[in-house]
Amino acid sequence: MTNPNIIKMSKLYAPTLKEDPADAEIASHRLLLRAGFIRKTASGVYTFLPLGQKVLSKVENIVREEMDAIGAQEIMMPALQPAELWHESGRWSAYGPELMRLNDRHDHEFCLGPTHEELIVALVRNELRSYKELPVSLYQIQVKFRDEIRPRFGLLRSREFMMKDAYSFNESYESMQKTYDDMSEAYGKICDRAGLDYRPVEADGGQIGGSVTCEFMALAEAGEAELVHCTCGYAANTEAGECIAHPTVYDVPFEKIATPGVHTIAELAEFLDIPESSTVKALSGKNDEGKLVVLFVPGDHEVNEIKAARAAGGFELLCDEEMESYGLHKGSMGPVGLPESAYVIADRSLEAVPQWVVGANEDGYHYVGARLGVDFTVDQWEDLSVVRPGDSCPKCGLALEGARGIEVAQVFQLGDKYSKAMGATFMDEDGKEQPFIMGCYGVGVSRTVAAIVEQHNDEFGIAWPMSVAPAHVCVIPLTVGDDQVQPAAEKLADDLAKMGFEVAIDDRSERAGVKFADADLIGWPIQIIVGKRGLAEGKVEVKRRSTGERIDIALATLEEAFAFAKRNAKGRAFEANLLQGLFS
Ligand code: 9G3
């Protein structure tokens, strides 16, 4: 058998591990190490072994095809970036140690690129000149560096990782919106093709400036992001999502009560034997002008600090001394008897609550039945709370469900932030210089590999979706060296490879049990077991990894099924065709 495209297990560099690696906390990290897809080179730095590299390339190619399909053009920028460009954007000083900086022999400063906004803007300015050339979308699939404080979870949070980053240059917000929509649609297709169960979620632009952004979250318990989602299709990151809370009323007369030792909402609710949703939580801080701001949210919710900063004009928590200087007490703050200077902002859900259970601004005391508009007033009502499961869906009103997710991709509307800062303009139809309106769009390619494994594994190992598997099928001869089994297995592998399938063959002289265990660990989608007894009847056994289904099938019929699937496959449809043909 000479076909070089066939993966021969006897030659494959895929060292597997019998034991679970000690520091691997999640399935993808553990299984990619155990099955010989990756190895750790340093903290948060990984080598892709042949199997890992194959899967990574598959994901890259899916991304590439979907980018090319919407007219984005592939380029390759350097990972090494001159500091000057980061000074121009103002981000050299905006980032701390996460940005990996280095000097060359002439003492010129550089960084290892954590992202490429600066480089791409510098690339097109002065050369992309006329509105007639717009819009333009450029992308690359490249390594990125971010010195995470705590690299962990293998490929999910590493310091060196693969990203597809795309940037669009548009003449108007309208045009950018169109590119943004095209990209979002392409990202949905990428996630579908990669076999991910995902949700596009409302997110927060954070540091990067642009306000409109959407994250593509692969649902997984190992994910670091918390989401809420609804059967109507709505989903949001809890860092960003609108909160519609339902505080409850504790209907008692206004009274100050002694609450000795009570400092937390949980203690207060227990002390009064009421739900936490009947209490009100307070947080004190100062805004950018140094003004005292006191925030109130339902007791069963947390303050969302991004929303707080937006509502208050900046929000920084008071330290203990500052609180004392205002006569405020941690654990018993409330709206009754606040200093004159305090500006009070409360979650809008509390506007419907006529009586509040709150701190009395006196250690060891709380008020019950504090009357809104009588005992205290509120200056401003805002959406201040972190949304949580059980809150109402802002789209349809049903109760939201909670989930965790892995952020595999994100789309941003950048506007003119970078083009303005770096003087990147084009000539519009009236001959006027205008800054480009930009969007940027990222796919975490290596992280996507990990997300796929998080969603496609079981106690035996990985179960790759056909679209990203290191090969479609693995032929497993049970007795290597047997004068019938081995030639039959090799011919089958060869025939399938000739038809255009990606084929592996486990030609090692290992026991059947070892081969089965490794095949399941590695996760080939289809395993074809060639044994002496079956062959005598002209049959082989076909196993579908994802479901564990097994069928005995005549060799001739099997080859026909593969050929049929290939013949009738438009594009990539043979994957589904094949499985359906074989297992229905
Ligand atoms: C930095 C460092 C870390 C960073 C950034 C810059 C995240 C940074 C946001 C993005 C946004 C988009 C292009 C593709 C789509 C996403 N972490 N971000 O800008 F200097 Cl140290 O990277 N980039």
Side-chain angles (χ1 to χ4, degrees), residues 500-523:
F501 290 96
E502 294 162 352
V503 182
I505 184 165
D506 194 346
D507 55 347
R508 299 173 301 168
S509 28
E510 291 281 2
R511 287 185 295 110
V514 172
K515 292 188 179 187
F516 294 154
D518 281 349
D520 280 356
L521 179 62
I522 289 169

Side-chain angles (χ1 to χ4, degrees), residues 152 260 297-298 367 435 508 536 548 562:
R152 54 188 179 152
V297 297
Y367 287 116
R508 299 173 301 168
F562 272 81

Side-chain angles (χ1 to χ4, degrees), residues 86 91 95 98-99 114-115 117 146 163 165 167 208 410 412 440-442:
W86 286 76
R91 294 210 298 175
Y95 279 89
E98 192 185 350
L99 185 61
T115 175
E117 280 80 5
R146 292 179 186 174
M163 186 199 273
D165 45 328
Y167 306 86
I208 154 154
Q410 190 163 19
F412 287 93
C440 70
Y441 319 89

Side-chain angles (χ1 to χ4, degrees), residues 403-478:
R404 300 188 70 87
I406 299 165
E407 184 196 334
V408 291
Q410 190 163 19
V411 289
F412 287 93
Q413 300 195 356
L414 281 178
D416 60 9
K417 176 180 152 135
Y418 290 91
S419 47
K420 245 190 180 154
M422 299 181 64
T425 59
F426 67 99
M427 197 86 81
D428 74 8
E429 229 168 326
D430 307 321
K432 263 180 62 186
E433 292 288 336
Q434 302 280 3
F436 293 108
I437 305 304
M438 289 179 62
C440 70
Y441 319 89
V443 175
V445 178
S446 42
R447 180 183 280 190
T448 294
V449 171
I452 295 167
V453 178
E454 287 299 328
Q455 291 188 357
H456 298 272
N457 74 80
D458 59 21
E459 75 238 71
F460 305 112
I462 306 172
W464 293 106
M466 193 79 95
S467 59
V468 295
H472 299 126
V473 43
C474 182
V475 177
I476 307 176
L478 289 186

